[in-house]
PDB file of all heavy atoms in Angstrom:
ATOM      1  N   GLN A   1     102.196  81.349  98.278  1.00 98.00           N
ATOM      2  CA  GLN A   1     100.898  81.599  97.647  1.00 98.00           C
ATOM      3  C   GLN A   1     100.110  82.645  98.429  1.00 98.00           C
ATOM      4  O   GLN A   1      99.529  83.569  97.849  1.00 98.00           O
ATOM      5  CB  GLN A   1     100.096  80.298  97.585  1.00 98.00           C
ATOM      6  CG  GLN A   1     100.653  79.262  96.640  1.00 98.00           C
ATOM      7  CD  GLN A   1      99.887  77.952  96.768  1.00 98.00           C
ATOM      8  OE1 GLN A   1      98.694  77.884  96.509  1.00 98.00           O
ATOM      9  NE2 GLN A   1     100.575  76.898  97.203  1.00 98.00           N
ATOM     10  N   ARG A   2     100.114  82.510  99.753  1.00 98.00           N
ATOM     11  CA  ARG A   2      99.375  83.454 100.588  1.00 98.00           C
ATOM     12  C   ARG A   2      99.983  84.864 100.490  1.00 98.00           C
ATOM     13  O   ARG A   2      99.251  85.862 100.464  1.00 98.00           O
ATOM     14  CB  ARG A   2      99.367  82.972 102.044  1.00 98.00           C
ATOM     15  CG  ARG A   2      98.464  83.785 102.954  1.00 98.00           C
ATOM     16  CD  ARG A   2      98.153  83.038 104.236  1.00 98.00           C
ATOM     17  NE  ARG A   2      99.371  82.643 104.954  1.00 98.00           N
ATOM     18  CZ  ARG A   2      99.791  81.386 105.068  1.00 98.00           C
ATOM     19  NH1 ARG A   2      99.100  80.407 104.511  1.00 98.00           N
ATOM     20  NH2 ARG A   2     100.893  81.102 105.746  1.00 98.00           N
ATOM     21  N   THR A   3     101.291  84.922 100.411  1.00 98.00           N
ATOM     22  CA  THR A   3     101.964  86.217 100.279  1.00 98.00           C
ATOM     23  C   THR A   3     101.529  86.922  98.997  1.00 98.00           C
ATOM     24  O   THR A   3     101.244  88.128  98.996  1.00 98.00           O
ATOM     25  CB  THR A   3     103.494  86.019 100.270  1.00 98.00           C
ATOM     26  OG1 THR A   3     103.884  85.426 101.515  1.00 98.00           O
ATOM     27  CG2 THR A   3     104.218  87.340 100.096  1.00 98.00           C
ATOM     28  N   ILE A   4     101.463  86.169  97.895  1.00 98.00           N
ATOM     29  CA  ILE A   4     101.011  86.734  96.623  1.00 98.00           C
ATOM     30  C   ILE A   4      99.551  87.178  96.723  1.00 98.00           C
ATOM     31  O   ILE A   4      99.178  88.266  96.257  1.00 98.00           O
ATOM     32  CB  ILE A   4     101.170  85.701  95.483  1.00 98.00           C
ATOM     33  CG1 ILE A   4     102.655  85.400  95.226  1.00 98.00           C
ATOM     34  CG2 ILE A   4     100.464  86.171  94.211  1.00 98.00           C
ATOM     35  CD1 ILE A   4     103.447  86.545  94.685  1.00 98.00           C
ATOM     36  N   GLU A   5      98.728  86.368  97.336  1.00 96.00           N
ATOM     37  CA  GLU A   5      97.297  86.658  97.423  1.00 96.00           C
ATOM     38  C   GLU A   5      97.006  87.891  98.267  1.00 96.00           C
ATOM     39  O   GLU A   5      95.982  88.560  98.062  1.00 96.00           O
ATOM     40  CB  GLU A   5      96.561  85.435  97.984  1.00 96.00           C
ATOM     41  CG  GLU A   5      96.526  84.264  97.005  1.00 96.00           C
ATOM     42  CD  GLU A   5      96.168  82.941  97.660  1.00 96.00           C
ATOM     43  OE1 GLU A   5      95.875  82.957  98.883  1.00 96.00           O
ATOM     44  OE2 GLU A   5      96.193  81.903  96.975  1.00 96.00           O
ATOM     45  N   GLU A   6      97.895  88.225  99.201  1.00 97.00           N
ATOM     46  CA  GLU A   6      97.693  89.385 100.078  1.00 97.00           C
ATOM     47  C   GLU A   6      98.304  90.664  99.519  1.00 97.00           C
ATOM     48  O   GLU A   6      98.085  91.747 100.056  1.00 97.00           O
ATOM     49  CB  GLU A   6      98.285  89.089 101.456  1.00 97.00           C
ATOM     50  CG  GLU A   6      97.547  87.983 102.221  1.00 97.00           C
ATOM     51  CD  GLU A   6      98.267  87.575 103.502  1.00 97.00           C
ATOM     52  OE1 GLU A   6      99.398  88.044 103.721  1.00 97.00           O
ATOM     53  OE2 GLU A   6      97.676  86.788 104.264  1.00 97.00           O
ATOM     54  N   ALA A   7      99.049  90.556  98.424  1.00 98.00           N
ATOM     55  CA  ALA A   7      99.752  91.708  97.869  1.00 98.00           C
ATOM     56  C   ALA A   7      98.805  92.647  97.133  1.00 98.00           C
ATOM     57  O   ALA A   7      97.787  92.227  96.574  1.00 98.00           O
ATOM     58  CB  ALA A   7     100.844  91.234  96.916  1.00 98.00           C
ATOM     59  N   THR A   8      99.146  93.936  97.129  1.00 98.00           N
ATOM     60  CA  THR A   8      98.465  94.903  96.256  1.00 98.00           C
ATOM     61  C   THR A   8      99.369  95.302  95.093  1.00 98.00           C
ATOM     62  O   THR A   8      98.895  95.899  94.122  1.00 98.00           O
ATOM     63  CB  THR A   8      98.056  96.167  97.030  1.00 98.00           C
ATOM     64  OG1 THR A   8      99.223  96.854  97.484  1.00 98.00           O
ATOM     65  CG2 THR A   8      97.179  95.809  98.227  1.00 98.00           C
ATOM     66  N   GLY A   9     100.657  95.000  95.203  1.00 98.00           N
ATOM     67  CA  GLY A   9     101.604  95.263  94.125  1.00 98.00           C
ATOM     68  C   GLY A   9     102.720  94.231  94.155  1.00 98.00           C
ATOM     69  O   GLY A   9     103.231  93.899  95.228  1.00 98.00           O
ATOM     70  N   ILE A  10     103.088  93.702  92.983  1.00 98.00           N
ATOM     71  CA  ILE A  10     104.127  92.675  92.886  1.00 98.00           C
ATOM     72  C   ILE A  10     105.178  93.172  91.911  1.00 98.00           C
ATOM     73  O   ILE A  10     104.853  93.615  90.803  1.00 98.00           O
ATOM     74  CB  ILE A  10     103.529  91.337  92.409  1.00 98.00           C
ATOM     75  CG1 ILE A  10     102.484  90.844  93.414  1.00 98.00           C
ATOM     76  CG2 ILE A  10     104.631  90.288  92.214  1.00 98.00           C
ATOM     77  CD1 ILE A  10     101.563  89.767  92.871  1.00 98.00           C
ATOM     78  N   PHE A  11     106.450  93.087  92.308  1.00 98.00           N
ATOM     79  CA  PHE A  11     107.539  93.669  91.521  1.00 98.00           C
ATOM     80  C   PHE A  11     108.605  92.619  91.223  1.00 98.00           C
ATOM     81  O   PHE A  11     109.236  92.086  92.140  1.00 98.00           O
ATOM     82  CB  PHE A  11     108.171  94.840  92.280  1.00 98.00           C
ATOM     83  CG  PHE A  11     109.128  95.657  91.464  1.00 98.00           C
ATOM     84  CD1 PHE A  11     108.703  96.809  90.808  1.00 98.00           C
ATOM     85  CD2 PHE A  11     110.464  95.289  91.340  1.00 98.00           C
ATOM     86  CE1 PHE A  11     109.579  97.567  90.051  1.00 98.00           C
ATOM     87  CE2 PHE A  11     111.350  96.034  90.587  1.00 98.00           C
ATOM     88  CZ  PHE A  11     110.903  97.177  89.934  1.00 98.00           C
ATOM     89  N   PHE A  12     108.799  92.317  89.933  1.00 98.00           N
ATOM     90  CA  PHE A  12     109.854  91.404  89.494  1.00 98.00           C
ATOM     91  C   PHE A  12     111.104  92.196  89.130  1.00 98.00           C
ATOM     92  O   PHE A  12     111.040  93.133  88.327  1.00 98.00           O
ATOM     93  CB  PHE A  12     109.399  90.601  88.265  1.00 98.00           C
ATOM     94  CG  PHE A  12     108.455  89.484  88.571  1.00 98.00           C
ATOM     95  CD1 PHE A  12     107.085  89.701  88.625  1.00 98.00           C
ATOM     96  CD2 PHE A  12     108.935  88.200  88.806  1.00 98.00           C
ATOM     97  CE1 PHE A  12     106.207  88.663  88.901  1.00 98.00           C
ATOM     98  CE2 PHE A  12     108.060  87.150  89.087  1.00 98.00           C
ATOM     99  CZ  PHE A  12     106.700  87.383  89.139  1.00 98.00           C
ATOM    100  N   THR A  13     112.237  91.794  89.685  1.00 98.00           N
ATOM    101  CA  THR A  13     113.497  92.486  89.407  1.00 98.00           C
ATOM    102  C   THR A  13     114.134  91.958  88.125  1.00 98.00           C
ATOM    103  O   THR A  13     113.632  91.037  87.486  1.00 98.00           O
ATOM    104  CB  THR A  13     114.488  92.297  90.564  1.00 98.00           C
ATOM    105  OG1 THR A  13     114.969  90.934  90.546  1.00 98.00           O
ATOM    106  CG2 THR A  13     113.850  92.590  91.904  1.00 98.00           C
ATOM    107  N   GLY A  14     115.277  92.548  87.769  1.00 98.00           N
ATOM    108  CA  GLY A  14     116.031  92.102  86.613  1.00 98.00           C
ATOM    109  C   GLY A  14     116.886  90.884  86.921  1.00 98.00           C
ATOM    110  O   GLY A  14     116.933  90.395  88.054  1.00 98.00           O
ATOM    111  N   GLY A  15     117.555  90.398  85.883  1.00 98.00           N
ATOM    112  CA  GLY A  15     118.409  89.221  86.012  1.00 98.00           C
ATOM    113  C   GLY A  15     118.308  88.364  84.768  1.00 98.00           C
ATOM    114  O   GLY A  15     118.587  88.815  83.662  1.00 98.00           O
ATOM    115  N   ASP A  16     117.841  87.140  84.931  1.00 97.00           N
ATOM    116  CA  ASP A  16     117.690  86.187  83.830  1.00 97.00           C
ATOM    117  C   ASP A  16     116.224  85.767  83.757  1.00 97.00           C
ATOM    118  O   ASP A  16     115.724  85.080  84.655  1.00 97.00           O
ATOM    119  CB  ASP A  16     118.591  84.961  84.077  1.00 97.00           C
ATOM    120  CG  ASP A  16     118.468  83.901  82.999  1.00 97.00           C
ATOM    121  OD1 ASP A  16     117.639  84.063  82.078  1.00 97.00           O
ATOM    122  OD2 ASP A  16     119.190  82.888  83.086  1.00 97.00           O
ATOM    123  N   GLN A  17     115.538  86.168  82.692  1.00 98.00           N
ATOM    124  CA  GLN A  17     114.108  85.899  82.590  1.00 98.00           C
ATOM    125  C   GLN A  17     113.774  84.412  82.527  1.00 98.00           C
ATOM    126  O   GLN A  17     112.684  83.988  82.940  1.00 98.00           O
ATOM    127  CB  GLN A  17     113.486  86.624  81.390  1.00 98.00           C
ATOM    128  CG  GLN A  17     114.156  86.401  80.054  1.00 98.00           C
ATOM    129  CD  GLN A  17     115.159  87.492  79.729  1.00 98.00           C
ATOM    130  OE1 GLN A  17     115.938  87.905  80.590  1.00 98.00           O
ATOM    131  NE2 GLN A  17     115.136  87.967  78.497  1.00 98.00           N
ATOM    132  N   LEU A  18     114.710  83.606  82.046  1.00 97.00           N
ATOM    133  CA  LEU A  18     114.443  82.170  81.972  1.00 97.00           C
ATOM    134  C   LEU A  18     114.350  81.560  83.372  1.00 97.00           C
ATOM    135  O   LEU A  18     113.660  80.556  83.569  1.00 97.00           O
ATOM    136  CB  LEU A  18     115.525  81.473  81.154  1.00 97.00           C
ATOM    137  CG  LEU A  18     115.205  80.060  80.641  1.00 97.00           C
ATOM    138  CD1 LEU A  18     113.908  80.050  79.846  1.00 97.00           C
ATOM    139  CD2 LEU A  18     116.353  79.524  79.796  1.00 97.00           C
ATOM    140  N   LYS A  19     115.014  82.167  84.364  1.00 98.00           N
ATOM    141  CA  LYS A  19     114.884  81.692  85.737  1.00 98.00           C
ATOM    142  C   LYS A  19     113.455  81.886  86.241  1.00 98.00           C
ATOM    143  O   LYS A  19     112.925  81.046  86.971  1.00 98.00           O
ATOM    144  CB  LYS A  19     115.875  82.429  86.654  1.00 98.00           C
ATOM    145  CG  LYS A  19     117.317  81.999  86.494  1.00 98.00           C
ATOM    146  CD  LYS A  19     118.224  82.760  87.453  1.00 98.00           C
ATOM    147  CE  LYS A  19     117.951  82.414  88.906  1.00 98.00           C
ATOM    148  NZ  LYS A  19     118.859  83.129  89.836  1.00 98.00           N
ATOM    149  N   ILE A  20     112.839  82.981  85.839  1.00 98.00           N
ATOM    150  CA  ILE A  20     111.468  83.241  86.291  1.00 98.00           C
ATOM    151  C   ILE A  20     110.533  82.156  85.790  1.00 98.00           C
ATOM    152  O   ILE A  20     109.784  81.542  86.559  1.00 98.00           O
ATOM    153  CB  ILE A  20     110.990  84.626  85.809  1.00 98.00           C
ATOM    154  CG1 ILE A  20     111.847  85.740  86.425  1.00 98.00           C
ATOM    155  CG2 ILE A  20     109.510  84.830  86.160  1.00 98.00           C
ATOM    156  CD1 ILE A  20     111.529  87.130  85.883  1.00 98.00           C
ATOM    157  N   THR A  21     110.567  81.916  84.483  1.00 98.00           N
ATOM    158  CA  THR A  21     109.613  80.962  83.910  1.00 98.00           C
ATOM    159  C   THR A  21     109.945  79.512  84.264  1.00 98.00           C
ATOM    160  O   THR A  21     109.047  78.705  84.479  1.00 98.00           O
ATOM    161  CB  THR A  21     109.543  81.119  82.386  1.00 98.00           C
ATOM    162  OG1 THR A  21     110.860  81.000  81.827  1.00 98.00           O
ATOM    163  CG2 THR A  21     108.967  82.474  82.018  1.00 98.00           C
ATOM    164  N   SER A  22     111.233  79.178  84.340  1.00 98.00           N
ATOM    165  CA  SER A  22     111.591  77.787  84.632  1.00 98.00           C
ATOM    166  C   SER A  22     111.314  77.418  86.085  1.00 98.00           C
ATOM    167  O   SER A  22     111.012  76.259  86.391  1.00 98.00           O
ATOM    168  CB  SER A  22     113.069  77.526  84.296  1.00 98.00           C
ATOM    169  OG  SER A  22     113.920  78.324  85.098  1.00 98.00           O
ATOM    170  N   LEU A  23     111.383  78.390  86.995  1.00 98.00           N
ATOM    171  CA  LEU A  23     111.110  78.110  88.401  1.00 98.00           C
ATOM    172  C   LEU A  23     109.627  78.251  88.741  1.00 98.00           C
ATOM    173  O   LEU A  23     109.104  77.521  89.586  1.00 98.00           O
ATOM    174  CB  LEU A  23     111.933  79.037  89.302  1.00 98.00           C
ATOM    175  CG  LEU A  23     113.453  78.861  89.251  1.00 98.00           C
ATOM    176  CD1 LEU A  23     114.127  79.822  90.220  1.00 98.00           C
ATOM    177  CD2 LEU A  23     113.854  77.421  89.585  1.00 98.00           C
ATOM    178  N   LEU A  24     108.945  79.180  88.082  1.00 98.00           N
ATOM    179  CA  LEU A  24     107.550  79.455  88.443  1.00 98.00           C
ATOM    180  C   LEU A  24     106.522  78.797  87.535  1.00 98.00           C
ATOM    181  O   LEU A  24     105.388  78.550  87.956  1.00 98.00           O
ATOM    182  CB  LEU A  24     107.297  80.970  88.425  1.00 98.00           C
ATOM    183  CG  LEU A  24     107.889  81.792  89.565  1.00 98.00           C
ATOM    184  CD1 LEU A  24     107.605  83.260  89.345  1.00 98.00           C
ATOM    185  CD2 LEU A  24     107.329  81.345  90.895  1.00 98.00           C
ATOM    186  N   GLY A  25     106.880  78.538  86.291  1.00 97.00           N
ATOM    187  CA  GLY A  25     105.906  78.103  85.301  1.00 97.00           C
ATOM    188  C   GLY A  25     105.077  76.901  85.738  1.00 97.00           C
ATOM    189  O   GLY A  25     105.611  75.831  86.026  1.00 97.00           O
TER     190      GLY A  25
END
């Protein structure tokens, strides 16, 4: 959480989009 809060840019790579939402949602 702190890493995200300190970022000025966040970059999501390719792969399987369902992994993003199922792990982070």
Side-chain angles (χ1 to χ4, degrees):
Q1 292 173 62
R2 188 162 56 250
T3 299
I4 294 294
E5 290 164 4
E6 293 172 353
T8 65
I10 299 164
F11 190 95
F12 283 87
T13 72
D16 178 357
Q17 53 265 43
L18 197 54
K19 286 181 66 178
I20 297 174
T21 55
S22 63
L23 295 181
L24 287 177

